[in-house]
Amino acid sequence: MRINAVALIRSIIAVIWLIVGMTFLTEVSPEFKSILVQFASHHWIGKSVLSAIALVAFYLFFRKFKESNGVLGGVFLVIGSVILGGVSIFSFFLWHFVNK
Amino acid sequence: MHLLIGIHAAMGEAGALAFLWVLIELLNPSESRLRRARIAAALGTLLLVGAWFVGGFYYVTEYAAVVKPIIKGGPLPWTHEVITETKEHVFLFLPFLGILVWGLLSRYQNELRQNRNIRVAVIILSGLIVLMAFAIAGMGFMISSGFRAALEAKML
């Protein structure tokens, strides 16, 4: 089976933002945290399992679209997402700690 | 000292070195170098997934119950509240980035010799994985320091 590179890139970007979103949501919503705990016994395991499932689901969805040549541009979007997502998570916990 | 932390750190750093290997193989690629790069990327991804499982098991069974309350009660609580919280979530990016590098190497195989754009893309991604993995190791050092400072404060 030939891998669809663009679908994989889009799926990775979606998973990165899903992790960032779940990280924030767990901190601000006790209900969401409790759903993750019920689903996987610990919220972090819940996020891990959901991220892995989401990668497969996103890939199956995005591979329906035609593979284009924009791999380098897509990789820059992945890198941008990693940097922005990482800085957002760090800034959120720093802000949370300073304002406690 | 805890064996699981050692295994987690060793797998994470070995995974980072595997992606450094990928990066070096791609600087001047030949058919055999690209084959080795694919093997290194697969190995690196497996090591990062292993670090994910072992670190996660330690985090859930030991850290949350024993280490976290001590750090939070010590002189450097930010090492948990900022550093651990950031580390445990940003780490989740790494196995997925590893899958992406392995996926691109497998998809384009020998095309990478002619296609400079995709080669550059894989080199940059591999470099990012190396930098992130070592940054995360640095965060592990900060967390250990927070724990040690809390224990020293209790003893003195």
Side-chain angles (χ1 to χ4, degrees), chain A residues 66-99:
Chain A
K66 194 168 171 272
E67 188 180 36
S68 65
N69 293 322
V71 171
L72 186 60
V75 165
F76 281 124
L77 281 177
V78 171
I79 293 167
S81 298
V82 166
I83 294 170
L84 198 59
V87 170
S88 304
I89 290 173
F90 173 75
S91 306
F92 175 79
F93 286 113
L94 183 63
W95 173 82
H96 206 255
F97 176 71
V98 169
N99 290 292

Side-chain angles (χ1 to χ4, degrees), chain A residues 2-3 44 47 67 100, chain B residues 81 88-89 107-108 124:
Chain A
R2 202 169 93 153
I3 293 167
W44 185 83
K47 285 175 213 161
E67 188 180 36
K100 215 168 64 169
Chain B
E81 295 187 35
E88 76 183 49
H89 293 103
R107 163 66 182 79
Y108 293 103
I124 294 171

Side-chain angles (χ1 to χ4, degrees), chain A residues 25-45:
Chain A
L25 203 53
T26 312
E27 297 301 316
V28 298
S29 165
E31 293 83 10
F32 180 68
K33 192 172 188 173
S34 125
I35 290 169
L36 289 179
V37 172
Q38 282 170 12
F39 166 67
S41 81
H42 192 283
H43 67 91
W44 185 83
I45 299 175

Side-chain angles (χ1 to χ4, degrees), chain B residues 9-63:
Chain B
M11 290 182 104
E13 296 318 308
L17 291 175
F19 284 97
L20 184 61
W21 178 14
V22 171
L23 191 157
I24 291 165
E25 295 287 11
L26 288 179
L27 291 177
N28 188 14
S30 63
E31 204 172 309
S32 59
R33 285 177 182 156
L34 287 170
R35 194 179 59 246
R36 285 199 299 269
R38 285 195 295 277
I39 294 168
L43 185 68
T45 304
L46 287 175
L47 285 163
L48 291 176
V49 170
W52 186 6
F53 275 83
V54 176
F57 183 76
Y58 168 77
Y59 174 73
V60 171
T61 58
E62 297 278 332
Y63 181 88

